[in-house]
């Protein structure tokens, strides 16, 4: 598969965002239990991030209940704290390098450390927030590996993702896109 075909598979009609984040792909055998656990952790992380980030911009109106919003924020922060403590209890994994990437809820184009054969399965890891050093782990398959002057570019297709994880990922990328537009409109 070439880069143009992979681009259609990874982005298609989906909203795509360009970011510079700690990210990387780790090839590994397709273990359904491990992939399911990674999806559940990632879904919980995205849900908690959404509650924390969305509650920062809520305007007071007649439908807004400050008590419920505060409780949701507190619950989300406890979820994030629990995830961080669990991560610390696990063996220390090396941090992913910071890379410029383009991604959607379907997949990602990311610089790789080495060329990787199409069809290779593994886990794509990305730190979705600057303020939280926790990584999303998304199962992925290499669609294409294109080497140019800057090194290999990996085109990864996410999956299998649960419908709720795919939806949470779409919402996260929409918030990233919305922030990028707001940032570009700010006077300099």
């Amino acid at each position: 598969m070439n880069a143009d075909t992979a681009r259609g598979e990874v982005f298609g009609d989906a909203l795509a965002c360009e970011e510079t984040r700690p990210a990387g792909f780790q090839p590994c055998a397709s273990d359904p239990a491990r992939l399911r656990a990674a999806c559940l952790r990632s879904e919980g992380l995205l849900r908690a991030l959404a509650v924390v980030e969305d509650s920062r911009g809520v305007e007071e109106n007649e439908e807004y209940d400050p008590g419920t919003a505060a409780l949701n924020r507190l619950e989300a922060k406890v979820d994030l704290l629990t995830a961080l403590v669990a991560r610390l209890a696990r063996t220390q994994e090396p941090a992913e390098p910071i890379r410029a990437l383009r991604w959607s809820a379907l997949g990602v184009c990311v610089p790789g450390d080495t060329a990787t054969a199409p069809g290779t399965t593994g886990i794509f890891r990305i730190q979705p927030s600057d303020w939280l050093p926790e990584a999303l782990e998304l199962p992925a398959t290499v669609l294409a590996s294109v080497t140019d002057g800057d090194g290999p570019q990996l085109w990864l297709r996410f999956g299998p993702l649960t419908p709720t994880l795919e939806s949470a990922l779409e919402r996260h990328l929409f918030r990233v896109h919305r922030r990028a537009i707001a940032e570009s409109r700010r006077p300099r």
Side-chain angles (χ1 to χ4, degrees):
M1 182 177 292
N2 63 25
D4 290 332
T5 307
R7 184 178 294 109
E9 287 281 323
V10 170
F11 301 127
D13 293 333
L15 174 68
C17 297
E18 292 183 13
E19 291 191 278
T20 302
R21 298 233 154 259
F25 177 70
Q26 299 171 343
C28 64
S30 183
D31 175 12
R34 179 176 183 224
L35 297 179
R36 194 170 26 261
C39 284
L40 288 174
R41 280 192 310 274
S42 293
E43 183 183 335
L45 177 60
L46 286 173
R47 202 172 351 162
L49 277 173
V51 169
V52 171
E53 290 177 352
D54 290 347
S55 66
R56 291 179 178 169
V58 173
E59 298 289 328
E60 288 195 33
N61 60 42
E62 61 267 1
E63 296 177 24
Y64 174 68
D65 178 10
T68 302
L71 183 60
N72 286 343
R73 267 194 318 277
L74 183 60
E75 182 179 339
K77 289 178 181 178
V78 168
D79 287 346
L80 292 172
L81 182 61
T82 303
L84 284 173
V85 169
R87 177 149 174 90
L88 289 173
R90 286 187 276 172
T91 60
Q92 293 296 328
E93 298 172 1
E96 298 293 344
I98 296 175
R99 302 171 194 248
L101 56 93
R102 184 166 189 227
W103 65 319
S104 73
L106 302 174
V108 63
C109 176
V110 62
D113 295 325
T114 60
T116 306
T120 302
T121 60
I123 298 287
F124 173 70
R125 294 173 41 88
I126 183 168
Q127 182 182 329
S129 173
D130 291 334
W131 57 270
L132 183 67
E134 179 68 12
L136 288 178
E137 293 183 336
L138 303 169
T141 302
V142 177
L143 294 179
S145 180
V146 180
T147 302
D148 58 15
D150 296 330
Q153 291 285 326
L154 300 179
W155 292 87
L156 308 174
R157 172 82 178 187
F158 299 143
L161 300 180
T162 62
T164 52
L165 175 55
E166 191 170 335
S167 177
L169 188 56
E170 288 171 353
R171 285 191 306 272
H172 174 75
L173 289 167
F174 179 76
R175 282 192 309 278
V176 169
H177 178 70
R178 189 176 58 199
R179 276 193 305 267
I181 289 173
E183 186 67 31
S184 72
R185 291 182 178 168
R186 286 194 183 135
R188 300 197 191 267

